[in-house]
């Protein structure tokens, strides 16, 4: 397994095209692996290619990729990086890849880490009793946080709780009549994005364009404690939630107190 970081040159037209289309970015990421095609069906079990865009500032966007094999991002450097700088220094190709195994191997129950996750929080609901359920996005931070909290146990971690003196209310909630995460936990929900784009079929013989795709994504930043290292390794290598092909599901860890 490898963790790769690539800084996107937002001043380039190729970068703007990729940033405006999760489908185009997915194809570019998958093209980094000679043995894979962008249309390959990901494995149902085991490690898969995951990616995420971190918009650290308006002008700085970082692409992170977790993958079973080491990627070659030469085409991304040419489209959306600094190709002249990369050509001038062969030791710096324009991206950084490092083995992911050492981090996965050192995960231990009880250890605490800072984390970041961009996800597509959804649930299944029906408007009427006689209608089938439909996948629906969670739209409020409260429900989005609740979506993540429900997945703690199966993903091998628990999100840390704030000390009482750091909560806005003694109970850490903003409601009294029903459970509510409020500001109880060491996690923030930010950077909500509503993405809408056409999903094109690979060939004209397949019928042209499919129905438009609409996604709601948010980014979670917080602190967690490992409860089950094996389950957490699976979450780190297989992703969390839906829409993994569109930049969702990649959970990354960093020592507490450091930037991700």
């Amino acid at each position: 397994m490898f963790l790769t970081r690539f800084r996107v040159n937002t001043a380039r037209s190729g970068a703007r095209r990729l940033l405006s289309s999760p489908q185009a970015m997915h194809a570019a990421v998958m093209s980094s692996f000679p043995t894979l095609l962008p249309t390959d069906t990901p494995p149902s079990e085991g490690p898969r290619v995951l990616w995420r865009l971190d918009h650290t500032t308006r002008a700085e966007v970082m692409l992170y990729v977790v993958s079973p094999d080491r990627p070659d991002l030469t085409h991304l450097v040419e489209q959306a990086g600094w190709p002249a700088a990369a050509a001038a220094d062969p030791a710096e190709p324009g991206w950084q890849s490092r083995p992911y195994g050492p981090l996965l191997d050192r995960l231990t129950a009880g250890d605490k880490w800072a984390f970041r996750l961009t996800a597509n929080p959804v649930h299944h609901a029906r408007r009427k009793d006689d209608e089938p359920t439909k996948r629906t996005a969670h739209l409020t931070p409260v429900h989005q946080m609740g979506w993540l909290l429900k997945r703690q146990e199966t993903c091998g971690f628990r999100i840390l709780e704030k000390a009482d003196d750091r909560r806005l209310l003694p109970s850490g909630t903003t409601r009294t009549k029903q459970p509510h995460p409020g500001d109880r936990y060491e996690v923030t929900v930010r950077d909500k994005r509503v993405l809408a784009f056409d999903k094109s079929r690979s060939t004209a013989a397949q019928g042209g364009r499919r129905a438009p795709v609409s996604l709601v994504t948010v980014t979670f930043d917080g602190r967690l404690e490992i409860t089950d290292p094996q389950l957490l390794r699976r979450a780190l290598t297989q992703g969390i939630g839906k829409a993994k092909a569109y930049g969702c599901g990649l959970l990354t860890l960093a020592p507490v107190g450091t930037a991700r």
Side-chain angles (χ1 to χ4, degrees), residues 42 60 85 101 113 115 132 139 162-163 172 201 208 216:
E60 184 177 66
W113 294 82
F115 74 89
L139 298 178
K162 296 179 181 178
R201 292 184 182 271
V216 175

Side-chain angles (χ1 to χ4, degrees), residues 142 144-153 157 159 180-181 185 187 220:
V142 167
Q144 291 160 350
M145 189 183 299
W147 174 91
L148 179 61
L149 293 172
K150 289 179 180 178
R151 282 154 181 78
Q152 296 178 99
E153 184 176 352
F157 64 84
I159 297 176
H180 186 289
Y185 295 94
V187 62
F220 301 95

Side-chain angles (χ1 to χ4, degrees), residues 55-66:
H55 297 257
T56 55
T57 68
R58 183 176 180 180
E60 184 177 66
V61 180
M62 306 297 295
L63 170 66
Y64 289 90
V65 180
V66 166

Side-chain angles (χ1 to χ4, degrees), residues 5 64 114 116 253-260:
R5 184 178 69 171
Y64 289 90
R116 177 170 293 165
L253 305 178
V256 174
T258 65
R260 283 166 293 282

Side-chain angles (χ1 to χ4, degrees), residues 30-68:
M30 296 302 291
S31 296
S32 304
F33 304 95
T35 60
L36 296 178
L37 294 174
T39 54
D40 283 351
T41 301
S44 57
E45 294 292 336
R48 58 179 293 164
V49 178
L50 301 168
W51 62 273
R52 185 183 77 218
L53 289 170
D54 283 5
H55 297 257
T56 55
T57 68
R58 183 176 180 180
E60 184 177 66
V61 180
M62 306 297 295
L63 170 66
Y64 289 90
V65 180
V66 166
S67 56

Side-chain angles (χ1 to χ4, degrees), residues 117-130:
L117 167 70
T118 293
N120 170 226
V122 297
H123 65 119
H124 289 83
R126 56 168 57 94
R127 293 178 300 176
K128 299 178 181 178
D129 291 341
D130 59 347

